[in-house]
Amino acid sequence: MSEGRGAALVREESDDCPHGDLLQIWLAVPNRPRTDCRPQKAGQKVLNLIWEDRMFNFSLKTMAVSAALLGSVTAVSAETVLRGASMFDEDHAFTKTMREFERLVAENYDGDVSFDLRLNGELGVESDYVTYLNQGVAVDYTILAPSNMAVFSDSIPLMDMPFLFRDLDHWNAVLSSNAFAPLEADLREAAGIVIVGYHGGGVRNLVSAEPITSMEELADHRMRVMGAPIQAQTFDAVGAAPAAIAYNEVYNAIQTGVIAGFENEAASIQNLKFYEVAPHISLTQHTITVRPIVFSAKVFDALDADLQAAIKAAGAEAGAFGRALESGADGEILKEMEAAGQVVIHQFEGRDQMLELVGPVQDAYAAQLGATELLENVRGM
């Protein structure tokens, strides 16, 4: 889980301490074995530090995760501290939606609850958050792209695959229904992650160093896609040369010519300044994003019933807030970047041809998952 040799974070019961749950932090320090076991106060974890090996080499990310863990386990018993993570700053729609989620939870819960939301990728990237949620450490709630959860659940990327939604009305109707309930159940069982609401609404387009305006220019275009296989299969079907690259490596990969572009929504292009290396946006409008508000099942199941109910209600309401926020802002952000001379926006000829090529890929993917009925239900809404 950490990046330094000899360092790991684990939570387990210890036979050496009769006081219950321990947090063991393995720090590589030369020849200093020590076990510290203290009686557990009500609602408080016990800290067990074991020092061994020969190296003390934490990355900044690991230190931040450790700080988040320590902050949570020393909380006063009367107050529940919930830990969140965002890759973005306070201005991004994801962060604004999580702030609204926090406000609604506190408003709907009679007990004492507070929130520790880490911003700007302090706790890593979304793939890291998925691991933390699964293990019940460091991150309790966040907003994720479904493709980043595919490492645990093969079916979850179906809800966000390209060309699934006809338009914003169709997208909103699906997310306001229980159409994705089977996918939610699979994610909880396979990944230990609970979906409590749905954010999204950004329209994803091609973003590239050079203009891509037609199927001919798209042919063999080296582009980054998200890690779920359906993403690579989709863009391979339309003639591109897709590659799964970590999100935090995209900027440098374009700058150094490893790839020629990627696909993304306006808010992230602006917030992370991707326009500096990829100023051309081609309006393929291939995806209207679905970004679940998620919670660690291990943490959620340990909360009292009233707080669980408050979280579920807040997730649904904050999701609707976030969808309206991002879908309404998407076009305006594109205009802002164009007016500032940061991007050049191009129409894309051949979108209908893309749809024809992608349909069979979607059908095969759904059949492989046993989700043909679910896909047909979504298409028919």
Side-chain angles (χ1 to χ4, degrees):
M1 179 172 151
S2 75
E3 294 181 344
R5 180 176 63 83
L9 298 177
V10 295
R11 188 188 301 271
E12 60 180 24
E13 297 293 330
S14 171
D15 293 334
D16 298 326
C17 180
H19 307 299
D21 192 19
L22 300 174
L23 176 65
Q24 294 188 329
I25 302 181
W26 297 79
L27 302 176
V29 173
N31 303 319
R32 291 181 55 190
R34 182 169 72 88
T35 300
D36 180 14
C37 178
R38 297 190 296 275
Q40 182 176 10
K41 296 179 181 179
Q44 184 180 30
K45 304 297 181 185
V46 178
L47 184 64
N48 186 35
L49 297 180
I50 300 176
W51 309 73
E52 65 171 28
D53 284 338
R54 297 189 51 81
M55 179 177 168
F56 187 67
N57 182 26
F58 273 124
S59 67
L60 290 176
K61 182 179 76 178
T62 303
M63 293 175 67
V65 172
S66 300
L69 281 162
L70 292 172
S72 70
V73 298
T74 57
V76 177
S77 61
E79 182 179 58
T80 299
V81 180
L82 300 177
R83 306 157 298 181
S86 173
M87 285 180 57
F88 306 101
D89 62 20
E90 291 284 1
D91 293 329
H92 194 276
F94 280 20
T95 309
K96 290 180 179 179
T97 298
M98 281 188 273
R99 292 299 190 198
E100 179 67 3
F101 170 75
E102 294 169 355
R103 186 189 70 80
L104 290 166
V105 171
E107 182 180 278
N108 293 325
Y109 179 59
D110 290 335
D112 291 325
V113 61
S114 63
F115 304 90
D116 179 12
L117 178 59
R118 305 299 179 92
L119 307 182
N120 298 309
E122 181 183 347
L123 299 182
V125 296
E126 288 191 13
S127 57
D128 299 311
Y129 304 165
V130 172
T131 301
Y132 301 151
L133 291 163
N134 170 259
Q135 295 178 355
V137 300
V139 176
D140 301 329
Y141 64 95
T142 188
I143 295 174
L144 293 174
S147 289
N148 286 318
M149 296 182 278
V151 65
F152 289 108
S153 170
D154 291 336
S155 65
I156 200 68
L158 188 150
M159 66 171 58
D160 191 47
M161 63 183 178
F163 299 106
L164 179 61
F165 304 109
R166 294 185 299 274
D167 50 37
L168 282 171
D169 287 340
H170 179 217
W171 163 83
N172 212 22
V174 173
L175 295 188
S176 299
S177 73
N178 65 349
F180 289 148
L183 304 183
E184 295 171 11
D186 180 71
L187 182 68
R188 198 188 209 286
E189 180 178 355
I193 297 175
V194 181
I195 293 177
V196 298
Y198 286 100
H199 178 79
V203 178
R204 292 177 81 90
N205 295 294
L206 295 182
V207 189
S208 53
E210 300 296 333
I212 302 292
T213 62
S214 65
M215 294 295 288
E216 291 73 25
E217 291 176 349
L218 180 60
D220 298 322
H221 172 59
R222 292 174 291 109
M223 61 177 290
R224 182 264 182 183
V225 297
M226 291 183 285
I230 186 60
Q231 298 285 334
Q233 291 165 13
T234 296
F235 286 99
D236 182 67
V238 299
I245 294 176
Y247 192 58
N248 58 345
E249 297 174 6
V250 170
Y251 188 104
N252 286 339
I254 297 173
Q255 190 174 44
T256 57
V258 173
I259 55 175
F262 69 125
E263 48 90 43
N264 213 333
E265 59 264 35
S268 296
I269 297 168
Q270 182 185 59
N271 195 268
L272 298 179
K273 299 184 179 180
F274 284 119
Y275 52 77
E276 294 177 345
V277 292
H280 296 279
I281 297 179
S282 304
L283 298 180
T284 49
Q285 299 178 325
H286 53 268
T287 299
I288 303 175
T289 60
V290 174
R291 296 293 179 263
I293 304 172
V294 294
F295 214 95
S296 168
K298 286 186 177 180
V299 176
F300 183 86
D301 291 343
L303 301 175
D304 66 71
D306 289 343
L307 184 50
Q308 289 179 349
I311 287 169
K312 287 183 176 180
E317 191 171 341
F321 165 88
R323 296 199 303 273
L325 178 67
E326 184 158 357
S327 62
D330 192 80
E332 293 302 314
I333 293 172
L334 281 179
K335 291 178 182 177
E336 287 177 12
M337 290 190 291
E338 184 178 40
Q342 295 166 338
V343 301
V344 180
I345 298 175
H346 306 275
Q347 297 298 319
F348 183 84
E349 299 178 5
R351 190 175 184 278
D352 289 342
Q353 187 179 351
M354 293 177 80
L355 283 170
E356 292 177 7
L357 294 169
V358 167
V361 175
Q362 292 182 339
D363 293 341
Y365 175 62
Q368 178 185 346
L369 297 173
T372 298
E373 184 177 351
L374 188 153
L375 178 59
E376 291 303 324
N377 181 37
V378 168
R379 285 172 170 171
M381 293 182 71

